[in-house]
């Protein structure tokens, strides 16, 4: 799956962006590879959901769940705690560039730990190997090896993101006082 072209497109409406952070790689895959990506993540998701591996508190990119469901779950948790006389603390994080910083070996730990079929794990491993990004401006091209993050437009990324976050959602917190 390493034969893909990544183009850079500016994500601002200004014609001449001044910051490199305004550029976002877009992967351009042929139809066959796009279908393979979709099949791969659908099979991984089937395995994860059929074996009840995904944490029940995972709402993003999850079938039959939405942000409204997440808000209602928080509301129920808060109401239950307040009626029991507990102190409730809510921390919300918005990590800038989270998708771009996701480290591939951490993502690959998920399918391995969840005993995904070996063919799906090996295809996932191939998906994350030999990736490059090319920036072309004024007849000059620069190619770099990519070892983290995701190309925009990837079919697989939401499923891999859930796998990465699942390990965080499974952390058991205990009362500190």
């Amino acid at each position: 799956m390493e034969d893909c072209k990544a183009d850079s497109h500016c994500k601002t409406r200004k014609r001449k962006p001044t910051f490199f952070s305004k550029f976002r790689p877009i992967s351009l895959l042929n139809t066959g590879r796009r279908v393979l990506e979709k099949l791969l993540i659908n099979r991984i998701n089937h395995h994860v959901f059929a074996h009840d591996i995904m944490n029940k508190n995972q709402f993003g990119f999850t079938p039959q769940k939405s942000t409204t469901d997440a808000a209602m779950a928080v509301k129920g948790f808060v109401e239950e705690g307040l009626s029991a006389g507990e102190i409730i603390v809510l921390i919300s994080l918005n990590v800038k560039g989270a998708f771009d910083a996701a480290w591939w070996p951490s993502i690959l730990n998920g399918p391995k730990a969840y005993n995904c079929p070996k063919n799906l794990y090996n295809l996932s491993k191939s998906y994350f190997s030999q990736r490059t990004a090319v920036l072309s401006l004024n007849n000059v091209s620069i190619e770099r090896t990519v070892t983290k993050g995701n190309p925009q437009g990837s079919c697989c990324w939401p499923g891999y993101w859930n796998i990465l976050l699942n390990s965080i959602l499974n952390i058991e917190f205990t009362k500190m006082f």
Side-chain angles (χ1 to χ4, degrees):
M1 292 180 66
E2 66 274 357
D3 296 335
C4 110
K5 179 175 172 44
D7 273 348
S8 256
H9 295 280
C10 184
K11 64 178 182 178
T12 182
R13 292 184 188 168
K14 295 179 184 177
R15 291 210 174 254
K16 294 182 180 178
T18 55
F19 298 103
F20 285 109
S21 65
K22 297 293 181 193
F23 284 93
R24 182 80 175 159
I26 308 275
S27 66
L28 304 174
L29 296 175
N30 65 35
T31 303
R33 290 185 185 273
R34 202 140 179 88
V35 168
L36 181 61
E37 263 197 12
K38 198 73 164 167
L39 287 171
L40 170 63
I41 202 60
N42 283 346
R43 295 307 306 156
I44 290 172
N45 281 337
H46 174 75
H47 175 81
V48 167
F49 288 108
H51 292 90
D52 202 27
I53 295 169
M54 194 60 64
N55 188 294
K56 66 178 178 66
N57 292 317
Q58 175 59 272
F59 292 92
F61 311 116
T62 304
Q64 308 301 315
K65 289 190 175 185
S66 68
T67 54
T68 304
D69 295 321
M72 294 303 291
V74 169
K75 180 181 179 241
F77 175 80
V78 169
E79 287 174 344
E80 184 181 310
L82 290 176
S83 67
E86 296 177 349
I87 298 171
I88 306 296
V89 177
L90 177 67
I91 300 173
S92 176
L93 299 175
N94 183 6
V95 182
K96 182 179 179 181
F99 277 169
D100 298 328
W103 192 47
W104 296 345
S106 289
I107 295 169
L108 286 172
N109 282 340
K112 197 173 198 175
Y114 305 151
N115 294 318
C116 274
K118 192 169 180 129
N119 63 331
L120 297 178
Y121 174 76
N122 287 337
L123 197 52
S124 294
K125 196 171 171 183
S126 172
Y127 178 80
F128 289 115
S129 66
Q130 300 177 356
R131 289 280 180 157
T132 59
V134 179
L135 176 62
S136 299
L137 293 170
N138 299 331
N139 296 324
V140 176
S141 291
I142 300 170
E143 183 174 350
R144 295 285 188 259
T145 300
V146 180
T147 59
K148 63 182 180 175
N150 73 297
Q152 185 158 335
S154 167
C155 298
C156 287
W157 199 252
Y160 284 129
W161 182 252
N162 280 353
I163 288 170
L164 179 64
L165 287 184
N166 199 50
S167 60
I168 296 169
L169 291 173
N170 286 331
I171 296 173
E172 290 289 329
F173 293 100
T174 58
K175 291 185 178 182
M176 301 301 276
F177 49 91

